[in-house]
Amino acid sequence: MASQSQGIHQLLQAEKRAKDKLEEAKKRKAKRIRQAKEEAMVEADQYRMQRDKAFRVKEAKAMGSQSNLAEEMEAQALERIAELTGSYRRGAEGVLARVLGMVCDVKPQVHLNFRASD
């Protein structure tokens, strides 16, 4: 009877450890997704600043066609931002799928040190 309760106790402990590992994996996944989103935002902001600087240089060179340059640069910047956002979205799905695959693919195994008491 004692071995049965000990076995149940071991199973409960194993279940708790598995649950803790799952929670930790979920936290890591959320952290990675947050980090990827922040990196994409930083990259988009850097690109926007770079394009703005290039715009100002072109504007200084050709003051006559100022409105056309502004519209062209704005269109190019918006197009590039849309590309970066799309790239982020495509990458986020892949990362999410990989993380979910790692989290959900549980392979229960008997521990090496487990001794069956008959």
Side-chain angles (χ1 to χ4, degrees), residues 51-97:
R51 295 303 282 183
D52 190 46
K53 184 178 178 182
F55 166 73
R56 298 215 188 285
V57 169
K58 282 186 178 183
E59 185 180 48
K61 286 182 181 179
M63 293 297 277
S65 61
Q66 192 173 25
S67 64
N68 288 342
L69 283 176
E71 292 171 4
E72 180 183 332
M73 292 299 290
E74 184 68 24
Q76 288 176 357
L78 291 175
E79 179 181 329
R80 181 65 178 150
I81 289 170
E83 289 174 18
L84 289 173
T85 304
S87 174
Y88 161 73
R89 288 191 179 131
R90 285 189 303 274
E93 288 295 322
V95 168
L96 183 61

Side-chain angles (χ1 to χ4, degrees), residues 95-107:
V95 168
L96 183 61
R98 284 180 37 204
V99 169
L100 285 175
M102 289 188 300
V103 169
C104 295
D105 190 21
V106 177
K107 298 176 184 170

